[in-house]
Amino acid sequence: MNIFEQTEPMKLGPYLYLADADLHLLSVFDDLKYDRSDADMLSPAMRRHVVQRLEKLGYKQTSGTIVKHAQTGICGLMPKFHALGASPFDITRYAPKQPRDFYILTPTQTACQFIDTYPLEEAVDRVKALIERQPVNLLRLQDFLEHKSVHREFLSAIGHLKYVQRIAVQSDPLRSMRALR
């Protein structure tokens, strides 16, 4: 079952978000507040939650980083960092996927994929929509922006996105959510 080709959005619960059907990105809620030094990785609790939710759709965990649908062969990949302090922009670099497969990422990693893929205005809109459902570690993201023109341009939107995120986490439904444990 390809969860990105459904006519109606899948009901995956408040902690999972089908962030982008074109890029095949599934984002897992992390937390409401961040420190720029927070590690940006899927915690064991986040991984367990993903596996439990996707099992209901016919997926089975085949390794620590892969869930696979038995009938279709579609895989969900939960990439891991290969170096301490690696950039969230590089999370998919060493985890190639097949065209129908999808990545399971943190909100910050998902935002990085938007920034690297879409034109500035669309990237900002997509990050804004993500923030309203799942806050992003904007300070960490800002720290890893590179000297590429697209990253320098995105830097100008960080202040606005911080404001959007502050309002979102103070409002329902986010304010009542807690990190997965």
Side-chain angles (χ1 to χ4, degrees), residues 18-168:
L18 295 174
D20 192 292
D22 295 329
L23 298 178
H24 290 203
L25 301 177
L26 178 66
S27 182
V28 185
F29 177 86
D30 191 1
D31 209 343
L32 292 177
K33 295 184 181 187
Y34 294 102
D35 183 276
R36 74 178 350 125
S37 64
D38 288 343
D40 186 50
M41 58 185 263
L42 291 173
S43 69
M46 293 165 76
R47 289 175 185 277
R48 266 193 313 276
H49 184 77
V50 167
V51 170
Q52 289 171 351
R53 282 296 190 171
L54 293 181
E55 279 179 346
K56 295 176 183 177
L57 300 175
Y59 287 85
K60 183 176 180 183
Q61 188 168 15
T62 59
S63 76
T65 61
I66 298 174
V67 292
K68 186 173 186 176
H69 194 266
Q71 294 173 335
T72 63
I74 295 172
C75 294
L77 308 172
M78 298 178 269
K80 290 185 176 182
F81 284 113
H82 290 274
L84 189 61
S87 170
F89 285 95
D90 294 335
I91 192 64
T92 61
R93 178 177 289 177
Y94 304 108
K97 68 175 186 61
Q98 297 300 314
R100 295 181 65 204
D101 294 346
F102 58 96
Y103 288 117
I104 302 165
L105 305 173
T106 69
T108 304
Q109 295 164 354
T110 302
C112 291
Q113 296 300 305
F114 292 159
I115 295 165
D116 277 347
T117 304
Y118 294 108
L120 177 64
E121 286 185 33
E122 189 172 354
V124 170
D125 288 343
R126 288 178 182 268
V127 172
K128 186 177 174 181
L130 174 64
I131 283 172
E132 291 171 347
R133 302 241 352 216
Q134 298 181 342
V136 170
N137 190 339
L138 292 168
L139 296 175
R140 184 165 181 81
L141 186 149
Q142 181 179 346
D143 289 345
F144 281 97
L145 287 171
E146 299 171 5
H147 295 290
K148 298 189 256 184
S149 62
V150 66
H151 286 209
R152 284 194 308 266
E153 291 171 359
F154 190 83
L155 185 60
S156 65
I158 294 287
H160 173 66
L161 293 172
K162 286 179 184 176
Y163 171 76
V164 169
Q165 183 157 295
R166 186 174 65 236
I167 299 302

